[in-house]
Amino acid sequence: RTYYQMFMDSGLVGNQVLAIPPLPADKSHVFNNYCIRAERRDELKQFLAEAAIQSEIYYPLPLHLQKCFADLGYKQGDFPHAELAADQVLALPLYPELTAAQQETVVASIAEFYRR
């Protein structure tokens, strides 16, 4: 909820940060990852790394373009939504000991990146 509120307050969501995980009032979520969809994701990841903020790209290549599925015959463009997600999704730091102040640093750093 902390990341959610910070991102909503930042003005980034729907602009440079294209999407964050929703938090419906009538449901709960146990996050093992906190993934955003971001413009210029790879540049953002590098900027965060230079600020000593770890982030991760877990699925840089959609399944249909991976070697192990080549025999299925799919090609670039067959699943455009999966390809777009593979280009945009970035996992941010998330672990039990992560403090609100640390989350604030992450969100502020992302905002700084997009102000440049």
Side-chain angles (χ1 to χ4, degrees), residues 37 62 64 75-87:
R37 291 181 76 148
H64 68 285
K75 63 187 179 319
Q76 184 83 28
D78 285 343
F79 297 95
H81 294 286
E83 293 165 24
L84 188 59
D87 290 340

Side-chain angles (χ1 to χ4, degrees), residues 13 38 41-42 50 53 56-57 64-65 69 75 100 106-107:
V13 178
R41 187 262 329 262
D42 295 343
E50 290 168 6
I53 298 171
E56 216 40 73
I57 300 169
H64 68 285
L65 298 178
F69 296 113
K75 63 187 179 319
V106 172
V107 175

Side-chain angles (χ1 to χ4, degrees), residues 58-73:
Y58 289 116
Y59 303 103
L61 193 62
L63 292 176
H64 68 285
L65 298 178
Q66 293 182 14
K67 266 188 191 180
C68 60
F69 296 113
D71 65 321
L72 297 176

